[in-house]
Amino acid sequence: MDHYTEFLGEQTETLSPDDEDYEIRLREIAESFRGYGEALSDFIADHGYTDALSDVDAKVKFIREKFKTADMKSPRDIKKWFSPKMKPDRDTIFQICFAFGLGIAETNDFFRRVYFDRGFDCHTISEAVYYFCIKNGLTYRDAQDIIRRIPPQEKIKAIPQREVLYTGTIIEYINSIDSTDELVEYITSNINDFLYNHATAIRFIRELWTEISKDHGLARQEGEQIKRSFTDEEDYVVAGPGASTWTIFSQIIGLRNELADDYAVKSNRSISSVLKQNVLMPLNAGDCFPSQQSIDALMRGELKDNDLIRKMLVFLVFYTYWAKIIIRHKNELYLRTDADSERCFDTMNKYLLDAGYQELYAGNPYDWIFMWALDDENPLWAFRFFIGEVFAVKEEEAGAND
């Protein structure tokens, strides 16, 4: 798996939009990303599996033996895990981690490298219990016994308008105890704080979007630089006074006015049709991609899933960082230094870690887009160029089907 990550990391450094074969190489890279089944195959190979990676039945047998050794009932649909675009749910992933005897760091790494999602979400009752059990060497059966002692609750749809209990505080407490009774008492006493999650990430997103969209905020100031740097013929969307979410979003991803107007009418300001089954957005890269609709929902405090919120955070931190640099230098085409990109990378990872998410990972096709852009001389416009290619591919497909 290290070789795989190294290969994708190398592509972020060598692929340039100026290359003559840019489009061809971009498609080749998109096709090289590994899905869940392939990543799981590599994982079991690193954990004792010695038969052929192409032998699905042998892989299933190996995994079932791991479950049996851990005194766990194995899931019925293991064979489906090796089918294209098939991913089990989060609880099943935790079962795999218990079956293979993974520790806290190894479990988080499994979620990052194999499942492309955050690790423990300790604002969820079951995952807080899993964290405690894995930390203390307890079994999956022990975890289920603990969960049954806690009154069942349903998640709420919005973060409460009061002081919230952040994930870091929960983890800090769990790290300080080793008694199951203390854990049950803590969760039960704070049960209302286990009915929501993503509080830190949503707070970050609200702050970032406010900084971007407010009167004379980053979008408007960067828009002024766009108008100074490009001719009328290029006609990019720019945010003026009172700009809508769609206008600002269109500016961030680099849409031209005609295209933005077209999608505002025919797709109700949605680009999901462009991202769906697009060869340049492999695996889950296009799923939950930031949109006008998701920005508005998150600003209203409506809870969404891990993938959407993490992707939104990456998207907004990336834009905010480079918009500030462009505004500071008064140059839309400012050529970044190595230190600029390193600081951006570190800033993005800090936001992710502070919000309880995994760091950027080149093996994740969504993360790869931004990591690749950071190596370009103008990262924001490299990102916009990539999005332009995504639209071009979809237009080519539509033309071929006419």
Side-chain angles (χ1 to χ4, degrees):
M1 202 169 323
D2 287 340
H3 177 73
Y4 164 70
T5 308
E6 287 172 8
F7 165 75
L8 291 169
E10 289 171 359
Q11 303 312 303
T12 67
E13 299 173 2
T14 59
L15 178 67
S16 169
D18 296 328
D19 296 340
E20 290 185 3
D21 60 347
Y22 169 73
E23 293 182 18
I24 295 173
R25 287 186 60 198
L26 198 58
R27 291 182 183 232
E28 290 175 347
I29 292 168
E31 291 172 355
S32 72
F33 283 98
R34 293 177 178 175
Y36 172 76
E38 293 171 297
L40 180 61
S41 295
D42 281 345
F43 169 81
I44 64 174
D46 290 337
H47 287 78
Y49 177 77
T50 56
D51 290 329
L53 291 179
S54 59
D55 189 339
V56 175
D57 289 336
K59 290 187 290 189
V60 171
K61 181 181 178 181
F62 177 79
I63 293 172
R64 289 195 188 283
E65 285 297 322
K66 285 290 186 179
F67 273 81
K68 183 178 180 181
T69 301
D71 194 23
M72 295 171 60
K73 181 180 179 181
S74 61
R76 293 182 178 180
D77 57 353
I78 295 177
K79 193 168 187 175
K80 292 182 180 179
W81 298 352
F82 299 99
S83 303
K85 299 183 179 181
M86 172 63 187
K87 285 176 64 175
D89 58 30
R90 285 180 63 84
D91 195 76
T92 302
I93 295 299
F94 279 108
Q95 291 180 45
I96 295 171
C97 294
F98 274 103
F100 278 81
L102 304 187
I104 295 294
E106 293 171 311
T107 298
N108 279 326
D109 195 57
F110 186 92
F111 272 86
R112 176 175 180 249
R113 292 175 176 266
V114 180
Y115 199 60
F116 296 155
D117 202 350
R118 73 182 296 178
F120 297 94
D121 178 4
C122 288
H123 247 295
T124 299
I125 293 172
S126 61
E127 297 190 19
V129 173
Y130 294 155
Y131 181 92
F132 174 88
C133 290
I134 289 176
K135 173 182 174 295
N136 290 284
L138 301 180
T139 67
Y140 181 74
R141 180 171 294 180
D142 293 327
Q144 296 307 302
D145 289 341
I146 295 170
I147 291 170
R148 280 191 286 269
R149 294 170 59 189
I150 300 168
Q153 303 287 330
E154 290 186 8
K155 285 283 186 179
I156 60 178
K157 295 182 179 180
I159 296 173
Q161 298 300 311
R162 57 175 171 79
E163 186 176 353
V164 298
L165 182 63
Y166 291 107
T167 305
T169 305
I170 297 172
I171 292 175
E172 184 178 351
Y173 179 81
I174 296 175
N175 285 337
S176 72
I177 63 173
D178 56 14
S179 163
T180 58
D181 289 340
E182 286 181 280
L183 178 66
V184 172
E185 181 182 357
Y186 176 72
I187 294 176
T188 304
S189 299
N190 296 279
I191 197 70
N192 289 333
D193 288 303
F194 285 86
L195 305 184
Y196 61 86
N197 44 16
H198 315 304
T200 301
I202 290 177
R203 174 168 60 85
F204 286 157
I205 288 168
R206 286 175 169 176
E207 292 171 352
L208 290 162
W209 184 251
T210 297
E211 188 176 13
I212 291 167
S213 63
K214 66 184 179 182
D215 186 40
H216 210 63
L218 296 180
R220 185 174 173 189
Q221 292 183 65
E222 196 245 339
E224 291 170 356
Q225 297 301 322
I226 293 175
K227 288 189 288 187
R228 293 191 185 102
S229 299
F230 296 100
T231 66
D232 290 339
E233 292 178 357
E234 290 168 298
D235 196 27
Y236 289 102
V237 174
V238 294
S244 66
T245 303
W246 171 246
T247 297
I248 296 172
F249 174 73
S250 297
Q251 176 181 317
I252 293 175
I253 65 174
L255 293 187
R256 299 177 187 273
N257 280 297
E258 184 179 355
L259 197 58
D261 291 342
D262 187 27
Y263 277 87
V265 174
K266 75 178 184 181
S267 300
N268 193 26
R269 299 177 179 83
S270 171
I271 64 169
S272 59
S273 62
V274 177
L275 306 175
K276 187 176 181 180
Q277 296 181 338
N278 193 303
V279 296
L280 297 187
M281 303 294 284
L283 304 179
N284 69 339
D287 297 343
C288 300
F289 194 91
S291 67
Q292 176 229 307
Q293 293 82 358
S294 57
I295 292 170
D296 287 341
L298 290 172
M299 289 302 291
R300 291 192 298 267
E302 295 177 7
L303 300 178
K304 300 291 182 179
D305 65 24
N306 289 330
D307 197 27
L308 186 150
I309 295 175
R310 184 184 181 279
K311 285 179 177 178
M312 183 69 74
L313 192 57
V314 169
F315 177 76
L316 295 182
V317 174
F318 176 84
Y319 174 74
T320 299
Y321 183 91
W322 293 109
K324 286 180 178 179
I325 285 185
I326 287 168
I327 293 163
R328 184 168 69 247
H329 289 275
K330 298 181 180 180
N331 182 4
E332 185 66 31
L333 301 178
Y334 167 78
L335 301 182
R336 60 91 178 154
T337 65
D338 289 343
D340 290 329
S341 286
E342 289 169 5
R343 280 193 293 269
C344 183
F345 183 78
D346 291 341
T347 300
M348 294 167 79
N349 278 334
K350 184 178 188 308
Y351 268 94
L352 289 170
L353 290 172
D354 287 350
Y357 294 110
Q358 309 284 14
E359 293 179 292
L360 295 170
Y361 170 52
N364 181 325
Y366 180 82
D367 289 2
W368 185 89
I369 298 168
F370 295 90
M371 295 175 71
W372 164 74
L374 288 177
D375 273 308
D376 191 78
E377 60 184 9
N378 192 309
L380 181 53
W381 281 94
F383 170 74
R384 288 167 171 165
F385 193 86
F386 177 88
I387 296 298
E389 288 295 310
V390 171
F391 273 83
V393 164
K394 185 58 64 171
E395 290 175 3
E396 288 176 10
E397 292 176 354
N401 293 330
D402 287 345

